Every structure is written in structure tokens, then in C-alpha cells.
């Protein structure tokens, strides 16, 4: 099972953009869609990753797992709201 899981991992660098901190239209779109669903993303890392997810989802009906690492901030305040 582990070898099948590892073989299905896709590294996608299509959303690198112009460089660190530069945001393009696809990332802005991804940030807006995420925000509509209560998902907090940053424009430099997780926003780009989510933009890639949205693009891949339009291209395929395969299941996609998005792991939002957000940051190293303490998430206890967020968890206590639910």
C-alpha cells in the first residue's frame, strides 16, 4: 500500500509564478475560493498549492488530498472554535 501511495504523489511546480511573494491571477482566484469555504491560506505557499489543486481538479476527476500546513502557529484557538 505504501509504495502505491508514494507512486501517486505528484510534485507540481506550475504555480511558482514570478518569484517569492509575487501573486498571479490563479493564486488570487484560489485564495478567494478557499476564503469562501473558511479555509485560511497564505499567498506565497498554501495559496499556490491550492491554485494547483483547483487546476488539477478541473483536469481530472481523481481524488485529491490537500494538506494545509498553514504555518507553525499554535492552532489551539482555531480548534477551540468548533
Amino acid at each position: 500500500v505504501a509504495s502505491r501511495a508514494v507512486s501517486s504523489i505528484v510534485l507540481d511546480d506550475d504555480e511558482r509564478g514570478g518569484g517569492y511573494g509575487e501573486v498571479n491571477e490563479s493564486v488570487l482566484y484560489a485564495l478567494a475560493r478557499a476564503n469562501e469555504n473558511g479555509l485560511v491560506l497564505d499567498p506565497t505557499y498554501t495559496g499556490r498549492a491550492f491554485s494547483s489543486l483547483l487546476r488539477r481538479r478541473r483536469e481530472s476527476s481523481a481524488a485529491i488530498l490537500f494538506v494545509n500546513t498553514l504555518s507553525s502557529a499554535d492552532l489551539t484557538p482555531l480548534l477551540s472554535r468548533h
Side-chain angles (χ1 to χ4, degrees), residues 1 11 13 18 20 23 25 27 30 33 46 48 57 59 65-66 69-70 75-76 80-81:
V1 171
L11 298 178
D13 65 354
Y20 182 83
V23 181
E25 290 298 318
V27 173
R33 296 298 76 74
T46 55
R48 291 178 187 199
R57 190 67 186 137
E59 297 168 354
L65 173 65
F66 181 76
T69 57
L70 187 61
L75 300 179
T76 303
S80 66
R81 293 191 314 195

Side-chain angles (χ1 to χ4, degrees), residues 37-65:
N37 291 285
L39 186 59
V40 178
L41 304 177
D42 72 271
T44 302
Y45 298 109
T46 55
R48 291 178 187 199
F50 198 68
S51 177
S52 176
L53 176 142
L54 293 176
R55 180 176 36 79
R56 293 182 62 79
R57 190 67 186 137
R58 287 189 298 270
E59 297 168 354
S60 169
S61 61
I64 300 173
L65 173 65

